[in-house]
Amino acid sequence: MPAHSLPSLSTQITSDLCIKCNICASACPVAAAADRFPGPKAVGPQAQRFRHPRLPSPDKSLDYCSGCGVCSLVCPHGVQIAEMNAIARAEIFKRDGLPLRNWALGRSELLGKVGSLFWPLSNVPFKIKPLRVVIEKVMGIDARARFPDFSRGTFRAWFKRSAAAKRTMGARKVAYFHGCASNYYEPRIAQAAIEVFERNQIKVALPEQNCCGLPMQSNGDFESARVYARNNIRKLARWVREGYDIVGASTSCTLAIKHEYHAVLGIDDPALELVATNTYDIFEYLAMLDDEGLLNTRFVKRAETVVYHAPCQQRTHGFGRPAADFMRRFGFAVIESKADCCGVAGTYGLKKEKYDIAVAVGQPLFQQIADENPNRVVCDSETCRWWIEAHTGKKAVHPIEVMAEAYRGRRQ
Amino acid sequence: MKLSTEILILGGGATGLGAAWDAALRGFKTVLLEKGDLAHGTSGRYHGLLHSGGRYVLRDPQSARECAAENALLRRLMPSCIEDTGGLFVTAPADPADYADQFFAACKTCAVPVIETSPAEALQREPLLNPKITRAFRVEDASCDSFDALHLLARAVRAANGEVMLRHRVTQIIRSGNRIVGVTGENLVTGESFTIYADIVLNCAGAWAGRIAAMAGCEVKVTPGKGLMIAMNSRLVNTVINRCKPPSDGDIIVPVGTVSVIGTTDTAVPNPDKYAIEDWEVELLMAEGEQIIPSFRQHRALRAWAGVRPLYEDTKKEEQKDSRLMSRAHALLDHESRDGVAGMLSMVGGKFTTFRRMAQLLVDTACAKLGAERKCLTKDTLIDSPDAKLHTVSKRLASLESNKWHVASSTAQPPSHQIICECELVTRAQIESHLRESGSPILNDLRRDLRLGMGPCQAGFCAYRAVGIIHETLQLAPPISNSQLLQFLQERWKGERPVMWGHSLRSLEFDLHIYRNLLGVDTLPVEREIEVYPTEQTS
């Protein structure tokens, strides 16, 4: 049974619900860090009244919205502020043309394909300082922003050879959405997810899939994002019809499918409804199994102190923070992050004019991590982990890796 | 105060200002008196539709022709207050099927530009429209901000050496034998009395024209026809939508400014200053709105208000009980031939779209009475500046964004681009400039000038800010500023009461908390209120 449903009101019309209370304005981490950004209320429901669907967009300051979604989360009246901003931002690029930078940052799948083809050489250019300076000058990608390393071999190639691929029976059936990060950069995370499914006798299939399209969407390239979204809907719907649940460990990918395809990209399609209502973030899914008493809970307890940062996209799912609860059951001391956002917000912090803002937004989190000084930081989202690692020097892992360890009884 | 003029115009609505502009352009010494603010009466309380003429093609072809011609002309003369929304006539399921063909043929006869389009195309243009519409026609409707239009006109009158005097109420008409020679009255701001002598008086008082005529001893029966409108919080449509059926209640939705207005009803009322907004009228408009936009009730209604149409009733022909059947056309009354009283003409009835034409007829007749042959110049004189462009809804946002409004000020002074009214994007600079020009402490004048307080929060956040600026700029005593604040809040809340459910109720509750509980406005020391002529009192 679907655990969630699609919103019925069209995103822009939710500006009707705003009573100007300023709760979003006081919660917005970017507005607090950047004078250039007048805040979610101003660029969201307020500016929305002055936008005409058939005329060029007048917006500028809107581009400083990082899209973290804290505003939509705190709004007590249901205004879909971040979603509204994403839609309005795409209009800026319709007006001005899509910059090469935004085109490139949106193409994580293409980048991943090329990067794994030329591994390990592909990891070199991002580390050559003078080249980075040139890239910054030409494209506006900040030379200080750290990029992750491409992995040797993709997750999909690993899965084909794995035992999990050979399983024919299972208590439940999961079609796994790995996303670009797990496939090309961090196969270990998808591998940990498969390990957890195996421990629960869940049959896993690996559907054909594209990048979820979120990087394109947040870089204002809606047309390309819709092509990927439609591909994914078509490819995933087949599995849902065969009784599979769609599960992913990248919270932003699953959120894109569950929420953004409809609310931001405006896709209205019965197949999307089918896919979206049957898609789960991995911890949402595991918590559901646990509630039903179906989860293998033979965890090996072990004491460790971690700082857990629930990323913005994870919060927007709206299913609480089961990863933190699980880690406590593994015997961990879990210190939850007090910050709403680490700052990077996908690719926002990589941009030259936004890098310093993103660092300032993340500062309270970096400070908390420095004060607590844990061995590891735990966080569900890839871009946040990379950003946190770059700015704290701590190792950052996905909670599903920690869960796999808890079944195994040791760290990898 | 005593002065004399050639032409004296009573009434600062579209008709009066049009006449003053026309007369001043012809070189007459011209004075206009208005008891309230510009657009205080019916012109400031209409739905904002600049008619294509389509609405009248079958019932009143003469009006249709005039609307079509004036619509095209006004777009050129005063573009900055007109938005080229275009219009659609759509046949909803409840509408008579045979009307569409009659309508189309009649548009051709009346020279009202019309193109039939497919329901699918209409829906693509306006996604919220009823998908069950069967016919759709495109016409040249536009929306017009009447506040801006009247301000432009007042400026044009002054530029042509005419005088516009606001808050001057006429209390008596001076007659010499059978001739009217002037008026006396009271300046409502200072309390001073005034006398103005004139060669001819033009009564353009709209729904109040009967009262002026009565002061002159003439009987003019103007039936105030109350029309209710509801402003929806956002632009549900960006095109004017008309139902393709005989004109009736609640059959137009006009996107004007940041809102969309559904109108209207039509009920004859005895008194243009005192009428109630009834629940059944609100319900009727909401139900009719659903015919055009099925999700209509899900959207937020912002406020309801009524205007009073000046419907002229020819005293010779009685028994026209349904005021919608009375002519929308204007009537020019020459009191000399009609009542034996020389020196006064009355212009009654008519509609906003044709104000320029009505003014031309009126001043032509005045010329004849004065024995001065002077050609009308209004057809070829721009009201706007030559570089003005048609209005677009994005204009204010675009101007703020280009002003780098987001860059914080480095000085202690509040920046001039500081947003005071967040809903309508009114800046401190705009307010200060208005105050320097008008010197008026009345917040409602700021509203009519700048749209302050007209958005979703209905002044919840801007009234206390704006009154602070007024207080500082005009150096008022605190009790006077307090009174202004309270009066403005009362007027805003009055308009919200008829639609006080759902989202609006939540917003109003929040605003009440700000003013009553947080700021404690009920305990503020207040002064005798500066008298503002009431145009509406709801029960």
Side-chain angles (χ1 to χ4, degrees), chain B residues 145-347:
Chain B
D145 185 313
S146 58
F147 302 117
D148 284 354
L150 266 51
H151 275 95
L152 277 179
L153 271 173
R155 231 161 267 162
V157 171
R158 288 173 179 137
N161 297 316
E163 268 203 80
V164 177
M165 301 165 91
L166 304 177
R167 302 214 151 77
H168 281 63
R169 180 168 59 188
V170 172
T171 49
Q172 207 182 337
I173 290 200
I174 313 167
R175 275 173 70 158
S176 163
N178 277 341
R179 180 163 200 93
I180 288 164
V181 294
V183 302
T184 58
E186 185 195 357
N187 177 332
L188 295 174
V189 177
T190 61
E192 280 174 72
S193 59
F194 65 83
T195 305
I196 300 177
Y197 296 102
D199 297 341
I200 191 162
V201 174
L202 306 182
N203 172 15
C204 300
W208 293 264
R211 295 192 181 172
I212 295 286
M215 289 183 202
C218 309
E219 198 205 352
V220 172
K221 198 160 182 204
V222 178
T223 304
K226 181 183 59 158
L228 185 74
M229 281 148 280
I230 296 176
M232 302 302 285
N233 182 50
S234 48
R235 286 168 65 114
L236 301 178
V237 287
N238 286 288
T239 311
V240 174
I241 310 294
N242 306 265
R243 295 268 291 279
C244 196
K245 64 167 190 170
S248 170
D249 292 341
D251 54 0
I252 311 180
I253 300 181
V254 185
V256 57
T258 52
V259 300
S260 39
V261 177
I262 184 164
T264 63
T265 58
D266 200 335
T267 329
V269 292
N271 184 343
D273 287 324
K274 202 166 181 162
Y275 46 82
I277 289 174
E278 313 276 355
D279 287 351
W280 68 265
E281 296 174 298
V282 173
E283 175 52 32
L284 185 138
L285 289 188
M286 296 306 289
E288 290 297 323
E290 283 183 301
Q291 287 283 323
I292 301 176
I293 295 174
S295 59
F296 199 73
R297 278 182 206 269
Q298 286 179 41
H299 303 291
R300 172 163 159 194
L302 194 53
R303 62 186 285 120
W305 74 95
V308 279
R309 298 181 186 86
L311 297 175
Y312 172 58
E313 214 175 317
D314 196 330
T315 24
K316 304 284 173 281
K317 288 188 242 163
E318 267 295 347
E319 297 309 308
Q320 284 177 310
K321 285 282 179 255
D322 181 356
S323 60
R324 195 176 286 287
L325 293 174
M326 287 182 197
S327 177
R328 289 291 197 282
H330 42 76
L332 173 56
L333 309 181
D334 173 1
H335 295 288
E336 190 170 9
S337 58
R338 187 180 180 271
D339 309 294
V341 179
M344 184 166 92
L345 301 171
S346 290
M347 180 57 97

Side-chain angles (χ1 to χ4, degrees), chain A residues 264-318:
Chain A
V264 178
L265 297 179
I267 297 174
D268 241 329
D269 174 354
L272 170 59
E273 180 132 30
L274 181 72
V275 171
T277 53
N278 286 286
T279 295
Y280 306 87
D281 175 77
I282 194 160
F283 273 93
E284 177 183 25
Y285 195 69
L286 296 172
M288 251 170 47
L289 293 185
D290 190 33
D291 283 347
E292 291 165 29
L294 301 173
L295 191 77
N296 168 5
T297 53
R298 290 187 298 275
F299 306 122
V300 181
K301 290 209 171 193
R302 192 171 57 78
E304 182 179 338
T305 298
V306 292
V307 170
Y308 173 62
H309 176 67
C312 320
Q313 304 280 6
Q314 192 275 349
R315 298 175 196 212
T316 304
H317 277 276

Side-chain angles (χ1 to χ4, degrees), chain A residues 9 13 16-21 35-36 38 41 46-47 49-50 52-55 58-61 77, chain B residues 125 233-234 238-239 258 298-300 393-394 397-398 401 406 408 422-425 456-457 461 503 506 510:
Chain A
L9 265 185
I13 287 290
D16 261 9
L17 307 175
C18 176
I19 65 164
K20 327 271 316 176
C21 65
D35 284 343
R36 282 169 176 275
K41 180 177 81 170
Q46 202 161 291
R49 300 166 53 73
F50 294 87
H52 189 292
R54 294 189 297 274
L55 293 177
D59 291 288
K60 280 184 187 163
S61 44
H77 309 293
Chain B
R125 188 182 166 94
N233 182 50
S234 48
N238 286 288
T239 311
T258 52
Q298 286 179 41
H299 303 291
R300 172 163 159 194
V393 67
S394 332
L397 183 60
E401 290 282 273
H406 46 269
E422 299 172 22
C423 306
E424 294 291 340
L425 303 182
C457 80
F461 282 85
H503 312 318
R506 178 157 55 193
F510 184 54

Side-chain angles (χ1 to χ4, degrees), chain B residues 80-92:
Chain B
S80 74
C81 54
I82 293 170
E83 184 184 346
D84 182 20
T85 58
L88 280 169
F89 276 76
V90 296
T91 306

